Amino acid sequence: MSSTEVSKLEELANQEYKYGFVTDIESDTFSKGLNEEVIRQLSKKKNEPKFMLEWRLKAYRHWLKMVEPHWSNVKYDPIDYNDISYYSAPKKKPLLNSLDEVDPELRATFDKLGISLEEQKLFSGVAVDAVFDSVSVATTFKEKLGELGIIFCSFSEAVHNHPELVKKYLGSVVPSTDNFFAALNSAVFSDGSFVYIPKGVRCPMELSTYFRINAANTGQFERTLIVADEGAYVSYLEGCTAPRRDENQLHAAVVELVALENAQIKYSTVQNWYAGNKEGLGGIYNFVTKRGACRGVNSKISWTQVETGSAITWKYPSCILQGDNSTGEFYSVALTNNYQQADTGTKMIHIGKNTKSTIISKGISAGKSQNSYRGLVKITKKAENARNFSQCDSLLIGDKCGAHTFPYLEINNPSAQVEHEATTSKIGEDQLFYLNQRGISTEDAIGLIVNGYCKEVFKELPMEFAVEAQKLLSVSLEGSVG
Amino acid sequence: MNDIANFKNTLTSSFTDFEKSLNGQSKQPLHSIRKEALANFEQAEFPNLKNEEWRYTNISPLLKHSFNPLPAVLPLMYDDIQQFLLGDTFNHVMVFVNGRFDENLSKINNLPDGLIVKSIATDVEEDDPNVLEHFGKYALSEGQIFTSLSAAYTFDGAFVHVQEGKIIEDPIHLLFIADARKDKALIQPRNLFIADKNSQASVLEHFVSLSEDIYFTNTITEIVVGENTYFDHVKLQEESKRAFHISRTVIDQELSSNFTSHAISLGGDICRNDINSKFNDKGGECTINGLFLLDDSQLCDTHTLIDHAQPHCNSHEHYKGILDDKSRGVFNGKVIVRPDAQKTNAFQENNNIILSNEALINTKPQLEIFADDVKCSHGATIGQLDKEAMFYLKTRGIGEDIARAMLLHAFASDVIKTIKLLPVRDYVEAILTKKFNQ
């Protein structure tokens, strides 16, 4: 490679995180620390009914007995859970009906993020429940969805307005005692999104939430619960960007999906949180529990994720295939650069008869990053005729990075058919040469090849996301070649 | 917890008796290795399911028995062992009864020039520098409870040394006979194979039992494959179906060496095989194949590790399992490609067939890659016999049972046909034919 190319690459590599800015809004923040009093205060602040407080306290008491897990293939400094403030809300809580009443500064932030609410409202037909530092700021299209009986609101609202649904489904997929981070989330979650699609309703638009971490030192604990009743369909988008910070921020979210008979849930994520600087300083710790339960016959849950951000990504969106003929899918692109670490994959638990699952995972490691796929396919004794296909490919860019695969296959039924394949390779020199001699620069060629490599996953994403994901990938890869 | 303490105490306290039985040998340098290993054994943790390496294999049934580390050795006649000699085709045969070398039953008088085959106990007495140079250098005992147990009670085993430039045409048959008719024997053969530069040899390790009794085989084999050397290793395990079999094979591969391994596991109640190969220099080639055929309540756990520590090496791995009744199979195949081990090719495959509702397989092919210019892949499949193939055979007038036998045989023969030692291949084929046509 010529020296000019190298310098150009260096320049690109040194690019600052595009979304690294802090919005200066007065925040109402709890002092640091975690104890029962903090949880009571939090619950009181949010005006929660008694059952929520009890649920939180139960989770907290259990959490105290748990030990932080360390089996993953990632390394990080110990987290001091008493050095985190568990609540931060913009002080002027806007209880607004129209966007015009939203704090202008906040609006500007959304504009910078490229999700101008008006624009989305007007052109894209996407209802946005924007989460700005834990408290829902504005919810659009609620009325339109309301006509169909669809509930799409912040979690706090759901607790007030639909306590029976919350009570029934909260923790039914990810129990409050499930794991260390899920228990922590259950105790202190501040807000999140709640979706309920009634029987036989096909949600006419893609539902979307933009997460954003703002005030310094506030871990964000989101909780999402999506319930698709019999025969319902919903596609849900989750996307994140966060301002740059030098201290690591913990993000321990929980996402629960419930699909009843013949229901279908499609959950797509584009994750681009601050990944730390070139030296690996700062960045978000993304320790998330995501799980979906296909409860009914013929139900289907599909996870699609594009993970490019975060200093550490540690999550396994999973499917519990309880209903007969139910289907679970997992499509993932995980890209790590510089000092990023990712340990991600999925769990497919086959319980019902004729259940099917597909896993397509594409890992790309560049720089000095470590990228692991860890997945479990479990066919239980009664899961007759279960079928699984898994494919995990890794692409290595540079010789200082690592790619690892840890697939676990546990098969307890002779009628199961399980296939797993994995490959690891680098971008072919002949491929690059071919594109170069057609006049395509190495940088572009790599973008092209990587996008082709990820195509199987991108085609599962909704249109708007697919475009964003491709852009993200090229931006994240910039400077990794040389 | 008490069981573990008992297990350790019994074996630690027998050590004094063992020392006495060594006569003059306890003065030798090897004895310090034994003592060190004993200390490691006392400290090592007994594996439980929380240990990732033992995640699917519950070894605690071992604790229910009290094994004798100094088992009785009854005299055997040629007629007793004739059935295990694979039709008497091999010219070099070493016979071990309960881990002790039996010179009368063995056939090692007629060795070609450049091949040394003897009991490791004699070799130690003769102060062979090779033993001190290589013994215990590859299968490290620290933190490994079974390896340290073996090292602490090291007494006998096979020592095979192929000298520089020698090509040994005849394979060496090592027959390990377990005889637990008298007591619950703890049998610990400890083998060391050294193949010097530019040499070639093949060794068959063969584990058999005289009766369907309970005993515990804990065997370690260290293999040094020198520069430009070709070494072929076959391990045929036909232990009693009530026995415990734990084996560890550690291979050290030098420049441009070529190593092949076949492990056929048929017996044992609980069987655990560890095969670790490490490329210590460039240009190495390593093939690790295996087959496990299980029924009843057998459990067979295979852990392989291929360590690509150096560039320009190739490894191929293919394991197949057939599981019937309530048997359980575990396969964990790990490939590490270290930083700078560029131009590595590593391929791994694991295929399993489950024949019954109660059988269970856990497989975990694992890749850890730290270099970019590599081609690595792994695949795993689990299923039943191909329905279409079955249908095809039936349309040709072949009955269900025979068709099933044919298909299973074909499935297994992918691995068997790569065994280079013809008598072994025929022997295994015969076992399969008998088994599937029952």
Side-chain angles (χ1 to χ4, degrees):
Chain A
M1 207 178 280
S2 71
S3 63
T4 48
E5 267 178 83
V6 171
S7 63
K8 194 183 160 213
L9 290 183
E10 271 171 7
E11 184 191 308
L12 286 166
N14 293 334
Q15 257 180 2
E16 292 287 298
Y17 179 69
K18 278 192 184 166
Y19 302 126
F21 51 85
V22 177
T23 318
D24 198 8
I25 287 186
E26 238 183 299
S27 288
D28 177 6
T29 306
F30 276 14
S31 55
K32 288 174 179 178
L34 182 57
N35 51 48
E36 283 198 16
E37 195 42 48
V38 168
I39 293 167
R40 280 175 210 280
Q41 222 180 322
L42 175 73
S43 187
K44 197 176 160 202
K45 194 138 207 151
K46 300 181 71 63
N47 239 332
E48 284 177 350
K50 207 166 168 235
F51 81 91
M52 277 309 300
L53 175 65
E54 275 161 17
W55 198 76
R56 284 173 186 278
L57 287 174
K58 193 181 143 224
Y60 174 70
R61 283 170 198 149
H62 189 83
W63 178 77
L64 284 178
K65 284 182 251 159
M66 296 174 101
V67 188
E68 194 180 327
H70 287 288
W71 45 262
S72 68
N73 197 18
V74 297
K75 289 187 189 77
Y76 56 92
D77 293 332
I79 300 168
D80 183 354
Y81 294 94
N82 278 318
D83 196 33
I84 298 173
S85 166
Y86 287 86
Y87 185 74
S88 156
K91 212 168 190 178
K92 300 176 206 160
K93 182 166 183 343
L95 279 168
L96 313 170
N97 295 318
S98 88
L99 287 168
D100 305 334
E101 294 168 51
V102 174
D103 188 328
E105 209 166 337
L106 205 63
R107 294 271 297 281
T109 307
F110 284 123
D111 288 342
K112 267 195 230 173
L113 279 169
I115 54 149
S116 145
L117 291 181
E118 300 96 317
E119 215 178 288
Q120 295 205 8
K121 198 173 172 182
L122 287 171
F123 304 122
S124 60
V126 176
V128 175
D129 176 32
V131 174
F132 187 91
D133 250 358
S134 323
V135 169
S136 174
V137 180
T139 309
T140 48
F141 280 98
K142 195 176 261 175
E143 284 148 37
K144 198 173 166 192
L145 291 171
E147 280 167 27
L148 290 165
I150 295 171
I151 304 165
F152 178 36
C153 60
S154 74
F155 212 98
S156 336
E157 269 177 76
V159 168
H160 288 292
N161 303 337
H162 311 282
E164 67 304 331
L165 285 173
V166 172
K167 227 172 178 170
K168 187 168 172 192
Y169 292 107
L170 177 66
S172 72
V173 186
V174 182
S176 60
T177 50
D178 189 77
N179 66 60
F180 185 83
F181 296 106
L184 178 65
N185 173 289
S186 303
V188 301
F189 75 90
S190 39
D191 211 335
S193 303
F194 177 82
V195 177
Y196 174 80
I197 315 287
K199 271 184 198 173
V201 171
R202 188 181 167 91
C203 184
M205 58 189 88
E206 317 261 2
L207 301 181
S208 145
T209 301
Y210 237 98
F211 290 98
R212 180 159 174 75
I213 295 179
N214 194 27
N217 289 330
T218 42
Q220 192 162 6
F221 302 93
E222 295 288 343
R223 186 121 196 158
T224 305
L225 174 59
I226 299 175
V227 181
D229 213 324
E230 289 170 25
Y233 167 88
V234 61
S235 166
Y236 190 86
L237 319 179
E238 173 204 37
C240 351
T241 53
R244 63 175 308 165
R245 281 280 170 260
D246 276 333
E247 279 165 77
N248 290 302
Q249 290 185 314
L250 175 67
H251 182 98
V254 171
V255 176
E256 293 179 279
L257 310 183
V258 181
L260 300 180
E261 217 172 292
N262 295 313
Q264 194 179 337
I265 301 176
K266 193 174 160 68
Y267 194 101
S268 317
T269 311
V270 170
Q271 187 260 109
N272 179 33
W273 283 341
Y274 181 48
N277 65 9
K278 275 193 316 196
E279 278 76 44
L281 260 178
I284 305 284
Y285 291 176
N286 188 19
F287 301 163
V288 181
T289 310
K290 286 184 169 177
R291 197 176 299 157
C294 287
R295 294 255 161 91
V297 178
N298 298 326
S299 52
K300 179 176 175 184
I301 287 179
S302 164
W303 297 99
T304 309
Q305 59 172 24
V306 177
E307 305 277 335
T308 59
S310 295
I312 302 173
T313 302
W314 184 8
K315 67 168 184 177
Y316 313 98
S318 312
C319 296
I320 301 169
L321 304 168
Q322 284 164 295
D324 292 350
N325 312 329
S326 56
T327 307
E329 288 174 351
F330 175 74
Y331 300 95
S332 162
V333 169
L335 184 147
T336 53
N337 200 350
N338 297 325
Y339 283 89
Q340 275 177 279
Q341 305 174 67
D343 191 323
T344 182
T346 184
K347 288 184 198 171
M348 293 290 175
I349 319 280
H350 292 253
I351 297 168
K353 295 190 181 83
N354 306 317
T355 44
K356 257 166 72 177
S357 63
T358 308
I359 301 171
I360 309 280
S361 162
K362 305 276 182 182
I364 303 156
S365 4
K368 290 180 176 133
S369 65
Q370 298 295 332
N371 200 332
S372 308
Y373 167 83
R374 188 188 301 273
L376 168 72
V377 175
K378 185 172 186 157
I379 314 275
T380 57
K381 222 174 204 168
K382 296 210 171 103
E384 292 289 331
N385 296 319
R387 181 84 176 85
N388 162 268
F389 175 77
S390 316
Q391 186 186 343
C392 342
D393 296 329
S394 310
L395 195 65
L396 292 150
I397 301 173
D399 56 1
K400 299 276 186 305
C401 52
H404 318 281
T405 43
F406 306 87
Y408 295 77
L409 310 178
E410 301 181 6
I411 315 301
N412 210 345
N413 187 302
S415 62
Q417 207 177 337
V418 177
E419 289 168 75
H420 171 93
E421 54 184 61
T423 61
T424 304
S425 54
K426 69 166 194 168
I427 291 175
E429 272 159 32
D430 45 349
Q431 288 172 324
L432 276 182
F433 177 75
Y434 177 82
L435 290 168
N436 280 160
Q437 52 114 309
R438 301 274 143 164
I440 297 167
S441 73
T442 305
E443 185 92 345
D444 288 347
I446 287 189
L448 209 60
I449 293 166
V450 169
N451 271 318
Y453 167 81
C454 300
K455 208 172 170 185
E456 273 173 283
V457 175
F458 286 164
K459 75 177 195 309
E460 298 296 326
L461 285 170
M463 225 332 242
E464 310 87 320
F465 256 31
V467 176
E468 194 177 327
Q470 286 195 14
K471 269 192 213 151
L472 247 180
L473 219 57
S474 343
V475 170
S476 313
L477 269 176
E478 273 165 7
S480 60
V481 204
Chain B
M1 277 322 275
N2 274 335
D3 287 350
I4 295 174
N6 278 338
F7 174 77
K8 282 192 174 178
N9 282 339
T10 324
L11 290 169
T12 317
S13 55
S14 307
F15 191 75
T16 341
D17 295 336
F18 173 65
E19 266 183 323
K20 278 180 203 149
S21 75
L22 288 174
N23 295 325
Q25 265 206 37
S26 59
K27 302 263 177 329
Q28 280 171 327
L30 185 70
H31 199 62
S32 61
I33 298 181
R34 288 195 188 105
K35 280 187 160 164
E36 199 185 306
L38 188 75
N40 282 332
F41 171 73
E42 283 173 273
Q43 274 168 20
E45 201 184 324
F46 192 84
N48 58 34
L49 297 181
K50 283 198 176 144
N51 182 328
E52 185 68 21
E53 288 295 297
W54 292 84
R55 188 182 162 100
Y56 297 115
T57 303
N58 180 6
I59 194 72
S60 64
L62 195 68
L63 301 172
K64 286 192 204 130
H65 308 282
S66 170
F67 294 105
N68 184 1
L70 305 164
V73 181
L74 301 171
L76 294 181
M77 304 305 289
Y78 178 78
D79 287 351
D80 298 322
I81 66 155
Q82 204 247 339
Q83 50 171 320
F84 306 121
L85 292 175
L86 277 65
D88 248 338
T89 40
F90 292 117
N91 290 326
H92 314 310
V93 183
M94 278 183 105
V95 179
F96 295 82
V97 181
N98 285 354
R100 299 292 163 111
F101 179 55
D102 188 323
E103 202 168 354
N104 294 326
L105 294 173
S106 302
K107 236 181 359 180
I108 50 167
N109 304 323
N110 207 2
L111 294 176
D113 182 36
L115 173 68
I116 299 162
V117 173
K118 56 184 159 188
S119 145
I120 213 162
T122 353
D123 199 59
V124 168
E125 269 173 40
E126 289 164 5
D127 266 336
D128 185 341
N130 279 306
V131 172
L132 279 182
E133 191 189 334
H134 296 290
F135 184 88
K137 295 288 187 296
Y138 310 101
L140 303 177
S141 69
E142 206 182 327
Q144 300 275 353
I145 190 159
F146 297 114
T147 307
S148 54
L149 177 62
S150 151
Y153 281 96
T154 297
F155 182 72
D156 216 340
F159 175 75
V160 175
H161 184 189
V162 189
Q163 286 173 339
E164 194 180 326
K166 298 296 175 194
I167 291 174
I168 309 302
E169 308 243 332
D170 287 326
I172 299 144
H173 184 187
L174 308 176
L175 183 61
F176 299 96
I177 300 172
D179 179 3
R181 289 173 298 185
K182 194 120 186 279
D183 51 7
K184 287 183 183 173
L186 167 58
I187 303 163
Q188 308 201 86
R190 176 92 194 195
N191 308 315
L192 176 62
F193 310 149
I194 303 168
D196 287 345
K197 242 180 169 178
N198 305 327
S199 66
Q200 184 178 332
S202 45
V203 171
L204 165 68
E205 279 187 57
H206 189 183
F207 292 84
V208 296
S209 168
L210 288 177
S211 57
E212 289 290 297
D213 279 313
I214 299 171
Y215 58 90
F216 173 20
T217 302
N218 179 28
T219 173
I220 310 277
T221 299
E222 292 174 291
I223 305 176
V224 185
V225 188
E227 198 179 320
N228 284 324
T229 286
Y230 176 81
F231 196 91
D232 185 25
H233 180 243
V234 180
K235 180 167 172 271
L236 181 56
Q237 188 263 98
E238 298 182 86
E239 302 268 26
S240 139
K241 280 221 176 133
R242 295 165 73 199
F244 298 90
H245 178 93
I246 293 181
S247 90
R248 190 163 172 217
T249 307
V250 185
I251 304 112
D252 169 73
Q253 287 197 248
E254 297 303 325
L255 187 72
S256 302
S257 60
N258 191 334
F259 173 78
T260 60
S261 154
H262 286 84
I264 314 290
S265 298
L266 305 168
D269 182 30
I270 295 181
C271 165
R272 161 75 179 229
N273 295 317
D274 275 277
I275 301 176
N276 302 348
S277 180
K278 185 174 181 188
F279 291 109
N280 261 330
D281 213 327
K282 289 171 197 162
E285 190 91 31
C286 174
T287 306
I288 296 186
N289 292 346
L291 174 72
F292 45 95
L293 201 64
L294 311 174
D295 52 22
D296 294 337
S297 60
Q298 282 185 289
L299 187 157
C300 179
D301 177 346
T302 302
H303 271 60
T304 67
L305 167 66
I306 300 178
D307 188 346
H308 283 266
Q310 295 289 332
H312 296 278
C313 294
N314 297 330
S315 67
H316 312 266
E317 186 171 2
H318 195 177
Y319 262 81
K320 287 202 163 189
I322 300 177
L323 298 108
D324 204 350
D325 300 332
K326 287 182 178 169
S327 62
R328 288 188 58 184
V330 180
F331 176 77
N332 187 110
K334 190 165 169 180
V335 174
I336 299 181
V337 180
R338 304 260 174 207
D340 304 325
Q342 301 293 10
K343 307 280 179 202
T344 288
N345 289 328
F347 305 103
Q348 185 190 78
E349 205 173 327
N350 171 232
N351 311 112
N352 303 288
I353 285 191
I354 306 185
L355 298 174
S356 85
N357 276 319
E358 309 278 324
L360 174 71
I361 175 84
N362 294 305
T363 170
K364 188 179 155 210
Q366 198 178 331
L367 292 174
E368 291 194 32
I369 294 162
F370 295 93
D372 67 333
D373 195 359
V374 299
K375 270 188 214 149
C376 298
S377 71
H378 66 206
T381 61
I382 295 151
Q384 57 273 305
L385 289 174
D386 187 349
K387 286 200 184 80
E388 278 177 34
M390 198 77 179
F391 177 73
Y392 176 82
L393 289 173
K394 281 193 203 163
T395 62
R396 304 276 141 166
I398 297 167
E400 171 127 18
D401 289 349
I402 298 176
R404 185 169 170 266
M406 281 170 80
L407 290 175
L408 285 174
H409 205 130
F411 177 78
S413 53
D414 275 352
V415 168
I416 297 165
K417 71 182 183 205
T418 57
I419 300 177
K420 291 200 181 67
L421 303 178
L422 264 183
V424 180
R425 200 197 295 177
D426 293 343
Y427 182 79
V428 178
E429 288 272 4
I431 293 176
L432 291 182
T433 312
K434 202 174 138 206
K435 195 176 163 85
F436 295 142
N437 288 325
Q438 263 170 10

